[in-house]
Amino acid sequence: MDFSLSEEQTLLKDSLERFIQNDYDFDTRRKVMAGEEGFSRENWKQFAELGWLAVPFAEEDGGIGGGALELMIVMEQLGRGLVVEPYLATVILAGGALKYAGNEAQKGAYLGAIIEGSKMGALAFAEPQSRFNLADVATTATADGDGYVLSGHKAVVLGGPSADFFVVSARTSGGPRDADGITLFLVDGDAAGLSRRDYPTVDGLRASEVTLEGVKVGADAVLGTVGGGHAVLEQVIDEATLAVGAEAVGGMEVCYKDTVEYSKQRVQFGQPIGKFQVLQHRMVDMFMEYEQAKSMMYLAAMRLDEGYGAVAKKAVSGFKVQVGKSGRFVGQQAVQLHGGMGMTEELNIGHYFKRLTMIDTTFGNADFHLKRYGAI
Amino acid sequence: MDLALTDADLAFQAEVREFIDTYWPEDVRRARATSSRFEESRGHSPEVRRWIDALNERGWAVPNWPQAWGGTDWNPTQKYIWDKETAKAECPQLSAFGARMLAPVLYTWGTDAQKNEFLPKIREERMIWCQGYSEPGAGSDLAGLATRAVREGDEYVVNGTKLWTSGAHVADWMFCLVRTESGGKKQEGISFVLIDMKTPGITVNPVYILGGIHSVNEVELKDVRVPVENLVGEENKGWTYAKGLLTHERTGIAGVARSEVQLARLKRIAQDTGMDGGSLWDDAAFRTRVTELEVELEALSVTELRVLAQVAQGGAPGPESSILKIRGTEIGQAIAMMTIEAFGYYGMPYPEQTLIDNEGPIGNPYVMPTMKGMLYGRASSIFGGSNEIQKNIISKAVLGL
Ligand SMILES: Cc1cc2nc3c(=O)[nH]c(=O)nc-3n(C[C@H](O)[C@H](O)[C@H](O)COP(=O)(O)OP(=O)(O)OC[C@H]3O[C@@H](n4cnc5c(N)ncnc54)[C@H](O)[C@@H]3O)c2cc1C
Ligand SMILES: Cc1cc2nc3c(=O)[nH]c(=O)nc-3n(C[C@H](O)[C@H](O)[C@H](O)COP(=O)(O)OP(=O)(O)OC[C@H]3O[C@@H](n4cnc5c(N)ncnc54)[C@H](O)[C@@H]3O)c2cc1C
């Protein structure tokens, strides 16, 4: 048993920490968010130079061969900085699908470009009726000569506005919620018949509603096997669940530490509010929630690195249950203990609260993952 | 003890419903409930104006005021029916700062001149008020306020900074706590004054809160001259009036009827939200959590009735009203959170207003108002005396600790 990081992992963590510390203060983030794209291409270039965009990809594909632990390290730090650049969408979601299902030609065309920062992607998996069920796919892909024609509506596609390409789940056979018969397709962002309605999300990201109206793709656009997309999606989403969970753990750390700090500074009734026992205990609860979530995060990352199967899935769901509950509590209490200041746009705390709230429903809320955990 | 409505009550209920259906009809209700503009920043639409004018014509604008100032002769049951029905239809309310908080202070402690000048305008919603209590250094510890008023002849000269002043950017007047004497106990030496927001020396700076909402402000007061006749009650006794007012504020904040509406909406949203071919409402886990909230809300609703009954037998709501504030805000926050959860991924979109105006909402039309309500609602356990402060009050005043 060993909970310590290797030398390489420590270096990775340090490089992220330095970036968050030196180049990503709250004002910089605010300016970046206010821009046209809602994130900074300059930062993205820096991510590429620092090798972060290469983390989860195999060495033969130009990556550094990192696993779940490395992703966890990256995302925990990005969470501390509340980073808005579309790392999750491009590297973990779209990149993940390519990593697990892409053939040599597809990896060659996309992974190198992701790693050097010249292409961004997004995974279009959710639909208006699907909620968290990855098999609930109504978008259709109909065979057409050598290729396919795609039609449907993909909901809340994270990173959609900046995506040069999409990985789209569509039904090639089977009934409305059959796991079999779902196929993944690579679709160019400017494909004829694909349109997007772009918008900011409440927690500072960008997303799109993506509509596909008779979008024609060739046979070479099929990612993985025809009809076998669900298993790929499940694995990618599990990795992404670990990732947003780790992001939440990073956010919780900032929330509880900043709250403790604030409670030492803020004076009411002639004393720092941190002297009130009810607030002390509340902060202890925040701290405990953070530590509990962190434990489950380590478990999920280590299980995923041992190999993808029932044990790993269960650990991921357990982590998501814990992190959903802990993140909400820590975020809400951080706002509460900051009083009016916690409510302002100006202070970071409320922004962490918003992100932590939305992470609870990303890739399945606690109800969903409790059910999955119990069923495995 | 008896909960049944009499025939007379039922007739009254029918009359109220007809009035609401006439002046605040279904289509107007829905348009307002799905509006993505935040309530406090969108001002009075013609529909709202029409409703308020109708209330005044009918004599129903301020049921709780003394009859001499436009109140009704309703018994507690009738008031209860009125509150329930107007909440169910989500009828707009008169601005609470004037009608619910300041007015009781004025009709209890104000001079005749003050009553005559202000009460009718508040009742008709022709004068909008804001509450200048909190300051950067005086939040929970309100008595620590530092804004000073120094008497010069027939005027007070006021200097200081108020913070978190809701609606100061749209208000005509502010009721304000100022320090007129220092030394001694800090609760003594505070006075309650009324300030015209057009007075020279007042600067209102917006403070944006989560979701980009502009509802609170910083108000700087620099050599602001206030005529002494705008003092309410006695000099240095302002704390007593302010405290009385805060108790009224607390019962208002409980929002039982509003939570009932939100809970019913949550159920409808869950029924309309797809899940595994059925609806989210079929999901046992989600349904159980909503039902738990419903039971809690019902308990609170009866607790509120008990407080109201007590008030009806004379006297202001006591420290028990803190229960309403604590549980009411917790339940309201939980309902808002569950509604966001019900939307799933569609809880995330937060488009610009112009995009919504041009292309319509993204996902369910209730997403934006729910999100804004959820974000703003986090403040409900902070303002009006935070929930921690309320618990301090209960432990001291009720449990004797
Ligand atoms: C089943 C059992 C086995 C035990 N075995 C042993 C044993 O083997 N050896 C031994 O030496 N003792 C033993 N104890 C005694 C135990 O350590 C004491 O009960 C404990 O220290 C609490 O003291 P108390 O019972 O006097 O409660 P109190 O100290 O009077 O506490 C009463 C309540 O007040 C709270 N409280 C007290 N101070 C504070 C504070 N500063 N802030 C907030 N809350 C506070 C407590 O948490 C508690 O809820 C045992 C007790 C039990 C019940
Ligand atoms: C949206 C919004 C609208 C508002 N509108 C108005 C308005 O119109 N007019 C107005 O005058 N004010 C208004 N306020 C201000 C509000 O009343 C204050 O925010 C509130 O009194 C808390 O003060 P504070 O923000 O300074 O927090 P603080 O008092 O600094 O409190 C910080 C935390 O410490 C806790 N705490 C403080 N003292 C104790 C204690 N003794 N024991 C235990 N815990 C304690 C609090 O509960 C809180 O969790 C508004 C605030 C908000 C957020």
Side-chain angles (χ1 to χ4, degrees):
Chain A
M1 219 186 299
D2 181 9
F3 286 99
S4 56
L5 299 180
S6 71
E7 205 174 309
E8 290 82 22
Q9 289 167 343
T10 308
L11 286 173
L12 177 64
K13 179 169 177 241
D14 290 348
S15 84
L16 278 134
E17 260 178 353
R18 261 197 311 276
F19 171 79
I20 303 298
Q21 178 87 33
N22 301 335
D23 303 320
Y24 213 82
D25 63 44
F26 203 63
D27 269 338
T28 312
R29 174 183 184 268
R30 195 197 317 272
K31 281 191 202 106
V32 157
M33 279 172 59
E36 176 81 19
E37 287 199 291
F39 67 89
S40 150
R41 294 264 170 189
E42 277 304 304
N43 283 342
W44 197 250
K45 213 156 56 187
Q46 209 179 333
F47 288 13
E49 281 158 15
L50 290 163
W52 302 344
L53 303 182
V55 165
F57 304 115
E59 285 173 28
E60 62 263 31
D61 295 324
I64 63 168
L69 274 169
E70 283 74 17
L71 274 186
M72 173 198 91
I73 289 167
V74 172
M75 290 302 291
E76 190 182 352
Q77 297 307 319
L78 296 183
R80 286 182 61 221
L82 216 51
V83 169
V84 294
E85 277 66 23
Y87 191 90
L88 176 73
T90 293
V91 177
I92 298 179
L93 290 168
L98 280 156
K99 172 174 74 169
Y100 290 122
N103 57 34
E104 288 315 308
Q106 289 164 335
K107 287 187 191 172
Y110 289 95
L111 286 189
I114 289 178
I115 290 168
E116 67 177 35
S118 60
K119 260 198 173 79
M120 292 189 171
L123 179 64
F125 64 96
E127 297 187 359
Q129 83 294 343
S130 70
R131 201 159 173 81
F132 308 124
N133 184 349
L134 298 174
D136 194 337
V137 176
T139 297
T140 55
T142 320
D144 173 53
D146 275 353
Y148 293 85
V149 179
L150 308 187
S151 291
H153 176 176
K154 290 295 178 182
V156 198
V157 181
L158 287 175
S162 57
D164 300 301
F165 71 95
F166 292 90
V167 174
V168 177
S169 62
R171 186 161 289 290
T172 39
S173 66
R177 282 169 301 283
D178 289 348
D180 283 341
I182 294 166
T183 306
L184 301 182
F185 293 90
L186 281 161
V187 181
D188 235 38
D190 49 19
L194 182 150
S195 55
R196 24 186 154 176
R197 182 174 176 194
D198 302 338
Y199 48 81
T201 66
V202 71
D203 48 351
L205 307 178
R206 299 289 170 109
S208 314
E209 296 301 289
V210 176
T211 310
L212 304 145
E213 282 170 307
V215 175
K216 284 185 198 265
V217 294
D220 57 352
V222 173
L223 194 57
T225 59
V226 173
H230 182 263
V232 178
L233 269 185
E234 194 182 7
Q235 185 168 6
V236 171
I237 295 298
D238 270 328
E239 231 169 66
T241 305
L242 169 74
V244 289
E247 192 187 339
V249 169
M252 276 187 253
E253 184 187 348
V254 176
C255 281
Y256 98 76
K257 286 186 174 164
D258 279 13
T259 303
V260 169
E261 231 12 78
Y262 185 75
S263 78
K264 292 180 189 166
Q265 313 294 332
R266 173 67 173 166
V267 173
Q268 287 287 275
F269 303 99
Q271 53 189 316
I273 57 171
K275 290 279 179 222
F276 298 121
Q277 192 178 48
V278 65
L279 300 191
Q280 291 172 347
H281 285 196
R282 195 85 52 82
M283 289 185 275
V284 171
D285 287 337
M286 292 166 75
F287 165 72
M288 294 198 298
E289 290 294 338
Y290 160 73
E291 288 292 342
Q292 289 283 82
K294 197 166 166 177
S295 296
M296 290 301 269
M297 172 179 79
Y298 289 149
L299 179 71
M302 289 187 287
R303 290 297 190 221
L304 279 170
D305 276 343
E306 283 167 12
Y308 189 65
V311 174
K313 290 182 193 182
K314 189 163 182 160
V316 168
S317 280
F319 174 39
K320 192 63 184 3
V321 170
Q322 179 71 48
V323 89
K325 169 176 155 283
S326 300
R328 277 182 171 217
F329 177 80
V330 172
Q332 291 172 9
Q333 294 307 326
V335 170
Q336 180 71 20
L337 267 55
H338 276 79
M341 283 309 296
M343 287 296 299
T344 59
E345 283 267 289
E346 180 194 331
L347 200 71
N348 60 357
I349 288 299
H351 298 268
Y352 284 97
F353 157 70
K354 290 195 294 182
R355 182 74 190 124
L356 288 168
T357 303
M358 294 332 292
I359 284 177
D360 181 38
T361 43
T362 303
F363 310 133
N365 61 350
D367 289 345
F368 175 88
H369 282 285
L370 265 179
K371 210 178 289 171
R372 186 171 181 246
Y373 186 95
I376 295 172
Chain B
M1 259 189 248
D2 188 5
L3 285 171
L5 296 183
T6 63
D7 285 346
D9 295 334
L10 290 170
F12 176 74
Q13 187 179 52
E15 198 184 344
V16 167
R17 285 184 178 165
E18 197 198 319
F19 179 83
I20 293 174
D21 286 341
T22 309
Y23 295 104
W24 192 247
E26 183 70 40
D27 54 329
V28 175
R29 265 174 236 176
R30 190 183 148 80
R32 189 167 157 100
T34 54
S35 168
S36 49
R37 287 182 172 79
F38 189 67
E39 194 170 343
E40 290 194 26
S41 53
R42 67 189 167 200
H44 284 343
S45 65
E47 290 82 9
V48 174
R49 191 69 253 173
R50 188 174 87 121
W51 165 253
I52 289 171
D53 290 345
L55 286 176
N56 274 284
E57 236 158 83
R58 187 67 173 254
W60 288 358
V62 285
N64 292 314
W65 289 17
Q67 284 182 56
W69 293 105
T72 59
D73 60 356
W74 295 343
N75 62 36
T77 311
Q78 287 174 308
K79 282 183 185 163
Y80 172 74
I81 290 170
W82 172 255
D83 286 345
K84 268 264 151 36
E85 295 299 327
T86 49
K88 217 160 60 189
E90 297 180 87
C91 300
Q93 306 221 351
L94 296 192
S95 162
F97 292 113
R100 271 218 310 267
M101 299 186 207
L102 175 62
V105 173
L106 288 184
Y107 60 64
T108 314
W109 290 290
T111 61
D112 285 343
Q114 288 167 343
K115 293 180 203 177
N116 287 323
E117 168 63 13
F118 298 122
L119 289 177
K121 287 181 180 157
I122 293 173
R123 193 183 61 224
E124 291 167 11
E125 190 89 346
R126 304 213 174 270
M127 181 182 270
I128 303 296
W129 286 82
C130 63
Q131 177 187 33
Y133 280 19
S134 308
E135 298 180 4
S140 297
D141 184 10
L142 183 58
L145 61 92
T147 295
R148 301 192 56 82
V150 178
R151 178 121 183 210
E152 276 181 22
D154 288 346
E155 291 175 329
Y156 288 107
V157 181
V158 181
N159 277 288
T161 303
K162 294 290 172 183
L163 190 57
W164 315 119
T165 321
S166 297
H169 55 306
V170 293
D172 305 301
W173 281 71
M174 167 164 71
F175 56 92
C176 193
L177 290 181
V178 294
R179 187 160 293 290
T180 33
E181 204 174 278
S182 33
K185 236 178 115 207
K186 60 184 181 177
Q187 282 81 358
E188 290 155 15
I190 292 173
S191 298
F192 193 110
V193 295
L194 310 175
I195 302 181
D196 186 339
M197 291 298 280
K198 286 188 294 290
T199 319
I202 300 180
T203 314
V204 177
N205 304 312
V207 175
Y208 292 94
I209 58 172
L210 292 181
I213 295 168
H214 179 197
S215 112
V216 298
N217 304 274
E218 178 193 62
V219 179
E220 292 175 280
L221 302 140
K222 219 170 156 203
D223 294 330
V224 175
R225 295 189 164 265
V226 180
V228 284
E229 61 258 32
N230 288 355
L231 172 74
V232 175
E234 285 177 55
E235 200 177 82
N236 298 333
K237 290 271 158 51
W239 187 252
T240 319
Y241 317 135
K243 256 198 340 200
L245 178 158
L246 276 176
T247 329
H248 287 281
E249 184 176 355
R250 260 162 228 156
T251 36
I253 286 175
V256 170
R258 188 174 55 235
S259 283
E260 284 169 353
V261 172
Q262 301 292 354
L263 192 87
R265 178 160 297 145
L266 166 57
K267 285 187 194 173
R268 268 201 313 281
I269 287 168
Q271 283 157 4
D272 292 344
T273 300
M275 179 167 161
D276 298 334
S279 86
L280 174 59
W281 191 237
D282 301 329
D283 181 48
F286 193 83
R287 196 164 175 160
T288 301
R289 288 195 290 141
V290 175
T291 310
E292 272 172 2
L293 279 176
E294 192 169 354
V295 173
E296 294 231 24
L297 182 56
E298 186 151 45
L300 186 70
S301 147
V302 179
T303 305
E304 184 180 55
L305 283 180
R306 287 169 55 205
V307 171
L308 291 177
Q310 203 178 326
V311 174
Q313 278 153 23
E320 298 83 1
S321 69
S322 289
I323 303 177
L324 302 180
K325 204 268 167 172
I326 297 167
R327 297 304 293 145
T329 54
E330 286 173 353
I331 292 169
Q333 290 174 337
I335 293 171
M337 276 288 175
M338 285 225 58
T339 312
I340 295 298
E341 219 180 314
F343 292 130
Y345 287 111
Y346 275 121
M348 294 180 97
Y350 201 77
E352 310 277 339
Q353 188 62 45
T354 47
L355 189 72
I356 301 173
D357 289 344
N358 294 336
E359 299 180 39
I362 292 160
N364 192 303
Y366 287 104
V367 169
M368 283 299 280
T370 305
M371 181 54 81
K372 287 190 173 171
M374 185 282 274
L375 294 174
Y376 185 81
R378 296 316 308 178
S380 67
S381 51
I382 295 170
F383 59 47
S386 74
N387 285 13
E388 287 78 16
I389 294 298
Q390 304 297 338
K391 288 185 185 178
N392 288 348
I393 292 173
I394 296 181
S395 69
K396 208 166 133 189
V398 182
L399 306 184
L401 294 167

